[in-house]
């Protein structure tokens, strides 16, 4: 099971990013544990300056803007 965190304030782009990640995981049949992190101190610990950010298994894979489905698939498949 992949541990995925979406980092952000809970804005529209952050919510959409979480939905994109969940949708791609469902499409691929990859089980994930999705957590939305909205606490700024917790986000800062990852070194994210631009949200939304995505962390997969403890590694920052994306920061700022909406990620592409192809990128999400690659993160979940590795």
């Amino acid at each position: 099971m992949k541990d995925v965190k979406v980092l952000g304030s809970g804005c529209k782009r952050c919510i959409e990013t979480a939905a994109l990640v969940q949708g791609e995981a469902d499409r691929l049949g990859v089980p994930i544990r999705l957590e939305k992190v909205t606490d700024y101190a917790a986000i800062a610990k990852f070194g994210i300056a631009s949200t939304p950010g995505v962390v997969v298994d403890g590694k920052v894979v994306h920061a700022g803007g909406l990620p592409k489905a192809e990128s999400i698939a690659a993160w979940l498949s590795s």
Side-chain angles (χ1 to χ4, degrees):
M1 176 175 287
K2 295 277 186 184
D3 180 41
V4 181
K5 293 177 176 38
V6 175
L7 312 176
S9 64
C11 67
K12 183 178 177 182
R13 286 185 304 155
C14 298
I15 293 167
E16 191 171 344
T17 297
L20 287 169
V21 170
Q22 186 64 64
E24 198 62 21
D26 292 344
R27 186 184 74 77
L28 295 169
V30 175
I32 65 169
R33 179 179 40 230
L34 181 63
E35 178 184 356
K36 297 174 189 171
V37 179
T38 57
D39 179 68
Y40 287 110
I43 293 169
K45 289 180 183 178
F46 287 100
I48 297 287
S50 182
T51 60
V54 180
V55 177
V56 177
D57 292 334
K59 178 183 176 193
V60 175
V61 294
H62 178 79
L66 293 174
K68 300 201 179 299
E70 302 82 30
S71 298
I72 297 169
W75 305 332
L76 297 178
S77 298
S78 62

